[in-house]
Amino acid sequence: MALNFATVDAGVMHGDGPAIDNLIRQTFVAWIKPSSLGSNRYIWSKFSDKPFFRVTDSSGRLRLFKSRLSSALDYTTSTTVSAGSWQFVAFTMDLNLSSNIAHIYTGSLSSPPSEASYASANDGSGAFYTDALNAAYAGNRSNSDRSLRGLIGAIALFDRVLSIGEMTAWWMRPRVMSGCVLAANYFTTTSLADLSGHGFNGTLTGFNVATHADHVPLGPAFGADGWWSRQVGSSPPGGPSVPIIMRYYRSRRAG
């Protein structure tokens, strides 16, 4: 199952903490299926003043915004997403750079991720505002008034910039990889666990909360029976190594 953010107030709050606060380098990846397109449809939010990664207008353009002291980082794609189909979306940022700080990527069930074309790409200037007191939201923002109006199947946040090869590896097999600080596969509305092991479990927000919907139809890579392994932070003192636990298992055995 995926989560359907059908109403304007529906969202998932994943909290905040040192592992995801003020990331100098980061990558966000997600599978989304907008039901309709319109202005200010949020996919992800975890910044300070006027923060967002969203579907920004009725043509389906994506916009990434992060506030800076003098002028904001503000990227808008000319590449568009569409309503009614599953699409991969992602962004990367490296705040140590002075130019080309951000990149936005799109893909589909049949096309691997590639960098979007841009209608505008402004890196801004001045110090970046802190986001340490801002909770991370999927499918909306903290005001709970600008939901995606569509489905989200899986998300992940990394504390580094993924290469296009690594992004492609996640594309058809969403999973915890090196540097993953938050990961969620929205199979249910009752268990929104952070599979990265960092404890940023999701909480449904809004008076009209997200509901169940069909999940993004991704087959496990190379015939594997399941995807999304749970990463364990450390083994018990003096105990044996803790194996990776498969949180979600889907049998694909014929007959």
Side-chain angles (χ1 to χ4, degrees):
M1 307 299 284
L3 288 182
N4 185 4
F5 301 86
T7 60
V8 68
D9 59 336
V12 175
M13 193 273 287
H14 281 283
D16 69 287
I20 61 173
D21 290 344
N22 294 321
L23 294 177
I24 300 300
R25 297 179 179 89
Q26 63 179 285
T27 301
F28 173 81
V29 289
W31 275 102
I32 68 169
K33 184 181 180 182
S35 300
S36 62
L37 301 175
S39 299
N40 308 332
R41 306 292 178 86
Y42 277 57
I43 302 168
W44 176 252
S45 177
K46 174 62 177 93
F47 309 124
S48 54
D49 179 42
K50 296 182 179 177
F52 49 74
F53 179 52
R54 72 188 189 193
V55 178
T56 203
D57 56 31
S58 59
S59 68
R61 298 188 301 171
L62 297 169
R63 187 178 179 190
L64 173 63
F65 186 105
K66 182 168 173 59
S67 292
R68 305 186 69 171
L69 185 60
S70 297
S71 61
L73 180 151
D74 193 353
Y75 282 59
T76 298
T77 66
S78 53
T79 300
T80 59
V81 296
S82 58
S85 61
W86 281 105
Q87 287 134 102
F88 170 92
V89 294
F91 70 79
T92 67
M93 286 196 294
D94 185 343
L95 306 189
N96 282 329
L97 300 177
S98 58
S99 62
N100 298 316
I101 293 172
H103 300 272
I104 299 174
Y105 298 85
T106 61
S108 68
L109 290 172
S110 58
S111 299
S114 61
E115 186 163 7
S117 298
Y118 300 100
S120 61
N122 301 307
D123 291 304
S125 62
F128 286 94
Y129 286 105
T130 181
D131 65 25
L133 299 179
N134 296 83
Y137 281 80
N140 214 316
R141 63 175 186 167
S142 59
N143 289 358
S144 295
D145 61 352
R146 293 185 176 179
S147 83
L148 175 63
R149 260 65 61 86
L151 282 57
I152 297 179
I155 66 165
L157 179 68
F158 297 82
D159 64 2
R160 63 188 183 90
V161 173
L162 266 59
S163 68
I164 188 65
E166 291 171 316
M167 210 174 286
T168 301
W170 191 94
W171 161 65
M172 273 292 155
R173 191 186 170 203
R175 62 195 187 276
V176 173
M177 303 190 306
S178 173
C180 187
V181 290
L182 192 161
N185 192 348
Y186 296 135
F187 275 130
T188 75
T189 57
T190 57
S191 178
L192 305 177
D194 172 15
L195 303 176
S196 76
H198 286 86
F200 299 109
N201 301 324
T203 301
L204 294 178
T205 63
F207 182 80
N208 300 290
V209 298
T211 57
H212 284 141
D214 289 339
H215 205 270
V216 54
L218 303 178
F222 308 114
D225 285 319
W227 39 291
W228 276 118
S229 57
R230 179 147 189 168
Q231 191 177 66
V232 178
S234 61
S235 59
S241 298
V242 180
I244 291 198
I245 303 166
M246 298 305 297
R247 182 166 181 85
Y248 296 104
Y249 182 92
R250 296 185 300 171
S251 175
R252 292 185 177 268
R253 196 180 295 272

